[in-house]
Amino acid sequence: MRIAAIQMVSSHVVDDNLDQAADLIREAVQAGAELVVLPEYFCLLGQKDTDKLQIQEQYIESGYAETTDSQPIQRFLAGQAKKAGIWLVGGSLPLTIEGLDTGVQNTAPARAQVRNSTLVYSPDGRCAARYDKMHLFSFDNGRERYDESRCLQAGNAPTTFDLPSRDGHTWRVGLSICYDLRFPELFRSLGAELLLVPSSFTYTTGQAHWEVLMRARAIENLAYVLAPAQGGEHSNGRRTWGHSLGIDPWGQVLAERAQGPGVVTADITIDSLRAYRQQLPALKHRVL
């Protein structure tokens, strides 16, 4: 199966970002990708953290036919998946969820009960899965400061979905978002064959930790990893690390793009994954 990670340099203008995403999705489809994954906050990197609250959408579970003008980002994702006949993963967007459990540990104000969510669309434009980011990023080195809990509520449920590919295998795909990468117990719990990590790593943390953490998650789970990223200088002055990656279960980098908008493709096979797991049956040797 050919998979594609979309690298973007999203701005503070939603329509411009959707146009950029559409062009890159088209490029990935032309390259033969069956699964296309967008980066975290593909739809907006605002001038300030709270800008995401201005574009939050009510989650629509079913898909394209049920979305309205009040859900333009979800409508875009569902329409792109259906038009191209692909599996499309919308890296993340701010969602309000009907019946949201506000008892989840969270420091965000009550007015900002928004989740940073990944939505998965099948080739018929239906929403096949939703994952709400469980670990909220916080960083302060005296020069840069981030605290997602000021605007977001953490999710509380690990999520996988099944992807029946054209090669005849149904892949178990595990979902995560960016900062989740630092919590290996989440990835181990997924039991997935392909791990998706749409991200918007800061340049500082990415330079230090991005590749080593991605390769570690692949190696310890003997799974493929696909990590689409934001990569470049954004209109809000922020600089993101980029280096979108495809990694095999042995931890080898299959494809990478350093900076700037573009598409990273990789071919994955279940035979290769099974061979690695047979050679080194570490998953069967787990004690804890």
Side-chain angles (χ1 to χ4, degrees):
M1 177 171 67
R2 179 160 293 178
I3 58 179
I6 302 295
Q7 184 158 289
M8 294 181 63
V9 186
S10 297
S11 74
H12 63 284
V13 181
V14 173
D15 288 345
D16 291 350
N17 297 328
L18 297 188
D19 287 344
Q20 181 185 165
D23 289 342
L24 293 168
I25 290 168
R26 189 179 309 112
E27 183 178 336
V29 171
Q30 290 172 350
E34 188 174 348
L35 168 68
V36 179
V37 188
L38 293 161
E40 183 181 29
Y41 291 130
F42 73 95
C43 53
L44 181 79
L45 276 183
Q47 301 286 11
K48 54 186 184 300
D49 283 348
T50 53
D51 285 354
K52 62 177 66 72
L53 302 179
Q54 306 305 313
I55 68 160
Q56 62 185 279
E57 295 185 7
Q58 181 71 39
Y59 171 55
I60 302 297
E61 186 171 359
S62 21
Y64 183 78
E66 288 73 23
T67 56
T68 68
D69 290 342
S70 63
Q71 291 96 23
I73 302 169
Q74 291 173 82
R75 189 170 184 82
F76 167 81
L77 291 169
Q80 289 287 317
K82 186 173 184 178
K83 177 182 176 181
I86 57 169
W87 287 85
L88 180 62
V89 178
S92 79
L93 65 155
L95 289 182
T96 54
I97 316 296
E98 186 175 352
L100 185 67
D101 178 10
T102 56
V104 177
Q105 288 186 356
N106 176 54
T107 59
R111 68 179 181 277
Q113 297 300 322
V114 177
R115 292 191 173 182
N116 185 15
S117 303
T118 292
L119 296 179
V120 178
Y121 289 90
S122 62
D124 62 359
R126 311 298 288 184
C127 188
R130 187 192 91 232
Y131 168 69
D132 303 329
K133 188 176 185 179
M134 296 178 67
H135 302 95
L136 301 183
F137 181 54
S138 178
F139 179 75
D140 187 350
N141 66 358
R143 299 180 304 277
E144 298 174 83
R145 184 173 186 274
Y146 305 94
D147 184 0
E148 289 188 317
S149 67
R150 291 182 300 174
C151 307
L152 300 172
Q153 182 186 74
N156 60 355
T159 303
T160 62
F161 70 96
D162 291 333
L163 191 163
S165 67
R166 299 166 192 158
D167 61 17
H169 177 67
T170 296
W171 292 85
R172 185 173 192 186
V173 184
L175 299 176
S176 68
I177 301 174
C178 200
Y179 189 53
D180 286 329
L181 180 64
R182 296 181 182 274
F183 301 88
E185 63 275 15
L186 170 62
F187 293 84
R188 181 54 60 85
S189 74
L190 297 173
E193 298 163 327
L194 170 61
L195 300 165
L196 305 182
V197 196
S199 299
S200 181
F201 254 57
T202 70
Y203 193 90
T204 302
T205 59
Q207 187 175 36
H209 302 143
W210 171 261
E211 183 175 320
V212 67
L213 287 172
M214 289 294 178
R215 294 181 67 197
R217 298 297 85 84
I219 292 166
E220 65 200 9
N221 292 289
L222 288 161
Y224 288 100
V225 169
L226 187 68
Q230 296 281 354
E233 299 277 354
H234 300 267
S235 62
N236 61 6
R238 181 176 172 182
R239 187 181 184 190
T240 48
W241 177 242
H243 291 268
S244 295
L245 293 169
I247 304 174
D248 78 5
W250 201 245
Q252 300 172 104
V253 175
L254 300 175
E256 180 177 6
R257 182 180 183 88
Q259 290 276 288
V263 177
V264 172
T265 62
D267 293 322
I268 65 175
T269 71
I270 190 59
D271 289 342
S272 292
L273 181 141
R274 287 171 175 163
Y276 287 125
R277 291 185 174 185
Q278 183 175 9
Q279 293 166 20
L280 182 63
L283 297 177
K284 295 180 180 180
H285 295 162
R286 292 172 57 195
V287 175
L288 299 178

